[in-house]
């Protein structure tokens, strides 16, 4: 279509209303820009509607069930815990609804125009937006692409939405499956596998590499793996899934396990082998944008693509595919558009997995610190020596801080245990502020509390932890 004289002009066009796009739109509006946000589906993107939020609600509900069933050692006898799965799902949906409604109000309150429609680039500064009833051309000064990602399909095990499902369907099942095969022992496989295990499903995770959560510190993964059995979750590693037969009542999955072909059967198969960026149906070539070999949009430190006025943030701009990374990049892009000198710096990125126990890390591992030329000190404090963890009946795990031996600068942390997802924030802030172990050690931490483990680990770096014998 030829762009006529009647293109609607906007300062900033944001494509996608997930945690990248809506945050970018609000920040650009705060900085005085006239912003239009277009999303073809619901505001909030995958994270709010089909990802982070509903999964965390389901994980929490499953935790509660598990706790009730296993409290007799604390003198709590609960007979016949019943799960009304329909009501559990309704509650989860109500959590999602509150948040998506909130996003709509925030956009409105910041005077961001929102349109439900599909965007197709027609040039370097023009797009066509197709809504249910018409198609309009928009001309933008600047554009932020934040179209997110979708579950990756294994060609030989295609999604059918019923027996072979992605995380989307796994978060809105009508019944708790008796048997579930999870292909992929990454973030999603572990989180949802654990939740369904706690709800009574017989879960088998088939992971292609030799470990769950490949790339994550093995001593942390070990703590999580040890507990999985208790929740009815079996893990098979070095299991490359090759095909699925959905013709019978059950699905039969074939996998090459340590060189041998094996078959597993279940009611459903959840395929969670990563996510694919949504960059293929946008007409990006019309805008002059080329993708890298993984389908990501190459960007600089201001999230700018090679087409100067077009920015890309979040899952389309590369790994890690995390909602908070998308929001962070969205703020940087909006500020760059407004002429501010903002740039991304990922050193203090938190990674959080809502497994049992929770697992979180940030900054550098010991190995990475060495590779970067530091002489790292590793100080680990066990939750078994923390009063709050014991009183929560959750003393498995540790808080580990990595610091530079000479300067005591905090370089990273690995936490596995109760509240790890929250505790990591203290170390993220320390790294962001260039704090050293002494700064944390001199900070008064409430007693009894889980953050005391961060203080003790930091004291350990100084060689003066009180509640463990220092090395
Ligand atoms: P993932 O990349 O975390 O894990 C995929 C796993 O599948 C890997 O361990 C890989 O080795 C395995 N795999 C690949 N092909 C296989 C095959 N044919 N057979 C067996 N195993 C195979 O991807 P996942 O779990 O799908 O999650 C996608 C992304 O979503 C994550 O990378 C993460 O960025 C994000 N996410 C973040 C969460 C959080 O922050 N708490 C929670 C859930 C997802």
């Amino acid at each position: 279509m030829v762009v006529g004289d009647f293109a609607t002009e906007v300062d900033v066009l944001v494509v996608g209303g997930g945690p990248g796009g809506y945050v970018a739109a609000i920040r650009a509006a705060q900085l005085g820009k006239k912003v239009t946000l277009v999303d073809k589906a619901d505001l909030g993107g995958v994270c709010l509607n089909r990802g982070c939020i509903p999964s965390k609600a389901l994980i929490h509900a499953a935790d509660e069930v598990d706790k009730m069933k296993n409290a007799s050692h604390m003198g709590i006898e609960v007979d016949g815990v019943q799960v009304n799965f329909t009501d559990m799902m309704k509650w989860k949906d109500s959590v999602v609804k509150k948040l998506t409604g909130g996003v709509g109000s925030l956009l409105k309150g910041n005077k961001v125009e929102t349109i439900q429609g599909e965007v197709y680039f027609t040039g370097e500064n023009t797009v066509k937006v197709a809504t249910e009833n018409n198609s309009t051309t928009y001309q933008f000064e600047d554009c932020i692409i934040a179209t997110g990602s979708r579950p990756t399909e294994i060609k030989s095990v295609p999604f059918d939405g019923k027996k072979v499902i992605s995380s989307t369907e796994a978060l809105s099942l009508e019944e708790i499956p008796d048997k579930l095969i999870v292909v992929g022992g990454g973030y999603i496989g572990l989180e949802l596998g654990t939740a369904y295990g706690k709800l009574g499903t017989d879960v088998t995770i088939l992971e292609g590499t030799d470990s769950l959560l490949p790339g994550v510190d093995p001593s942390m993964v070990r703590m999580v793996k040890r507990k999985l059995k208790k929740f009815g979750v079996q893990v098979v590693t070095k299991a490359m899934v090759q095909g699925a037969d959905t013709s019978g009542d059950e699905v039969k999955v074939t996998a090459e396990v340590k060189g041998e072909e094996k078959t597993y059967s279940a009611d459903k198969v959840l395929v969670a082998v990563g996510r694919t960026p949504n960059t293929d149906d946008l007409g990006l070539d019309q805008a002059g944008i080329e993708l890298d070999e993984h389908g990501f949009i190459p960007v600089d430190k201001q999230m700018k693509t090679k087409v100067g006025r077009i920015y890309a943030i979040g899952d389309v701009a590369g790994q890690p595919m995390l909602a908070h990374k998308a929001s962070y990049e969205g703020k940087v892009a909006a500020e760059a558009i407004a002429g501010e000198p903002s740039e991304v710096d990922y050193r203090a990125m938190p990674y959080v997995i809502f497994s049992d126990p929770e697992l979180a890390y940030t900054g550098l591992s010991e190995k990475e610190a060495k590779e970067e030329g530091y002489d790292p000190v590793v100080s680990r404090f066990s939750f078994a020596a923390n009063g709050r963890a014991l009183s929560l009946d959750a003393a498995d795990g540790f808080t580990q801080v990595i610091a530079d031996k000479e300067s005591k600068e905090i370089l990273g942390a690995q936490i596995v245990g109760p509240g790890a997802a929250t505790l990591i924030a203290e170390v993220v802030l320390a790294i962001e502020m260039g704090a050293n172990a002494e700064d944390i050690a001199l900070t008064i931490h409430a007693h009894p509390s889980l953050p005391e483990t961060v203080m003790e680990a930091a004291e350990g770096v100084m060689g003066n932890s009180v509640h463990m014998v220092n090395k």
Side-chain angles (χ1 to χ4, degrees):
M1 172 178 160
V2 179
V3 180
D5 293 332
F6 303 112
T8 305
E9 291 181 9
V10 290
D11 291 348
V12 181
L13 180 80
V14 179
V15 190
Y22 85 76
V23 169
I26 290 174
R27 178 52 53 88
Q30 286 170 344
L31 293 166
K33 297 286 178 183
K34 183 181 164 213
V35 185
T36 296
L37 183 150
V38 188
D39 194 309
K40 63 179 177 185
D42 296 330
L43 288 175
V46 170
C47 175
L48 262 66
N49 294 288
R50 301 177 294 284
C52 330
I53 301 302
S55 67
K56 263 77 261 180
L58 186 64
I59 288 164
H60 174 68
D63 278 350
E64 296 295 298
V65 172
D66 179 62
K67 276 186 199 145
M68 275 180 241
K69 282 186 181 166
N70 295 293
S72 58
H73 64 289
M74 287 188 275
I76 304 169
E77 302 284 353
V78 185
D79 276 340
V81 178
Q82 298 289 326
V83 174
N84 180 329
F85 196 56
T86 308
D87 283 354
M88 189 179 276
M89 287 305 200
K90 274 191 200 152
W91 170 75
K92 173 218 68 171
D93 291 339
S94 74
V95 174
V96 169
K97 212 166 157 207
K98 276 181 207 143
L99 287 169
T100 49
V103 170
S105 310
L106 285 170
L107 287 167
K108 211 170 161 193
N110 282 283
K111 304 202 170 41
V112 174
E113 180 195 22
T114 54
I115 297 173
Q116 189 165 44
E118 212 163 337
V119 168
Y120 193 82
F121 282 84
T122 49
E124 278 200 3
N125 66 342
T126 51
V127 294
K128 222 165 55 174
V129 177
T131 60
E132 211 177 15
N133 307 316
N134 59 28
S135 170
T136 311
T137 296
Y138 279 76
Q139 187 169 335
F140 56 80
E141 288 279 320
D142 295 281
C143 175
I144 301 176
I145 303 170
T147 44
S149 63
R150 59 184 184 275
T152 299
E153 187 167 72
I154 302 179
K155 280 210 177 85
S156 56
V157 191
F159 293 122
D160 64 12
K162 298 218 159 23
K163 285 185 188 156
V164 181
I165 60 175
S166 71
S167 51
T168 304
E169 292 83 25
L171 289 169
S172 48
L173 294 178
E174 285 170 9
E175 284 171 12
I176 300 172
D178 288 334
K179 280 172 89 180
L180 177 69
I181 292 170
V182 181
V183 183
Y187 278 61
I188 295 177
L190 185 56
E191 289 188 358
L192 292 184
T194 305
Y196 277 107
K198 286 181 178 176
L199 291 172
T201 304
D202 179 353
V203 179
T204 303
I205 298 180
L206 302 176
E207 163 57 42
T209 69
D210 60 359
S211 164
L212 275 179
L213 297 174
V216 177
D217 182 337
S219 65
M220 301 170 83
V221 177
R222 222 174 291 130
M223 303 286 319
V224 173
K225 199 173 168 198
R226 207 187 291 160
K227 267 187 110 175
L228 280 176
K229 248 192 208 146
K230 185 177 158 243
F231 310 132
V233 181
Q234 195 208 340
V235 180
V236 186
T237 51
K238 291 192 185 159
M240 275 318 270
V241 169
Q242 289 172 331
D245 174 4
T246 55
S247 58
D249 283 349
E250 289 198 314
V251 203
K252 286 191 168 47
V253 173
T254 45
E256 193 185 305
V257 183
K258 293 163 192 124
E260 254 179 68
E261 189 175 296
K262 291 211 167 159
T263 305
Y264 299 84
S265 55
D267 309 328
K268 291 189 190 296
V269 183
L270 162 61
V271 176
V273 293
R275 299 183 62 87
T276 303
N278 292 326
T279 48
D280 28 13
D281 294 329
L282 289 166
L284 289 176
D285 49 337
Q286 309 262 8
I289 294 178
E290 285 162 22
L291 305 175
D292 73 9
E293 71 270 30
H294 305 293
F296 293 120
I297 303 173
V299 287
D300 66 11
K301 286 193 153 195
Q302 290 202 306
M303 310 315 293
K304 221 181 262 179
T305 66
K306 83 176 225 280
V307 182
R309 313 291 309 241
I310 303 181
Y311 296 69
I313 60 166
D315 291 1
V316 294
Q319 297 284 2
M321 292 184 169
L322 300 171
H324 47 272
K325 172 205 166 246
S327 302
Y328 172 67
E329 292 175 343
K331 290 177 194 166
V332 169
E335 287 163 8
I337 287 170
E340 294 186 10
S342 303
E343 280 189 359
V344 286
D345 174 358
Y346 300 116
R347 175 159 281 223
M349 176 79 70
Y351 294 80
V352 165
I353 301 155
F354 292 85
S355 45
D356 189 345
E358 283 179 6
L359 192 156
Y361 58 98
T362 189
L364 304 178
S365 65
E366 183 183 11
K367 186 167 163 265
E368 288 164 343
K370 281 183 184 156
E371 281 164 7
E372 288 204 11
Y374 291 99
D375 182 8
V377 187
V378 181
S379 171
R380 183 181 283 195
F381 190 83
S382 168
F383 281 101
N386 174 265
R388 184 63 183 139
L390 283 161
S391 69
L392 286 169
D393 191 37
D396 289 335
F398 56 81
T399 293
Q400 175 171 289
V401 167
I402 314 270
D404 179 57
K405 196 172 185 180
E406 177 77 27
S407 65
K408 306 286 188 279
E409 179 192 347
I410 301 287
L411 302 173
Q414 295 76 36
I415 306 178
V416 57
T422 310
L423 291 175
I424 200 72
E426 180 171 351
V427 188
V428 171
L429 181 66
I431 296 173
E432 181 61 33
M433 296 188 72
N436 63 26
E438 195 178 13
D439 293 316
I440 297 181
L442 287 175
T443 304
I444 302 173
H445 286 68
H447 177 75
S449 72
L450 299 173
E452 286 177 295
T453 61
V454 180
M455 177 185 74
E456 295 278 356
E459 284 181 338
V461 170
M462 316 292 299
N464 60 11
S465 168
V466 171
H467 294 95
M468 67 175 168
V469 177
N470 296 281
K471 277 188 202 161

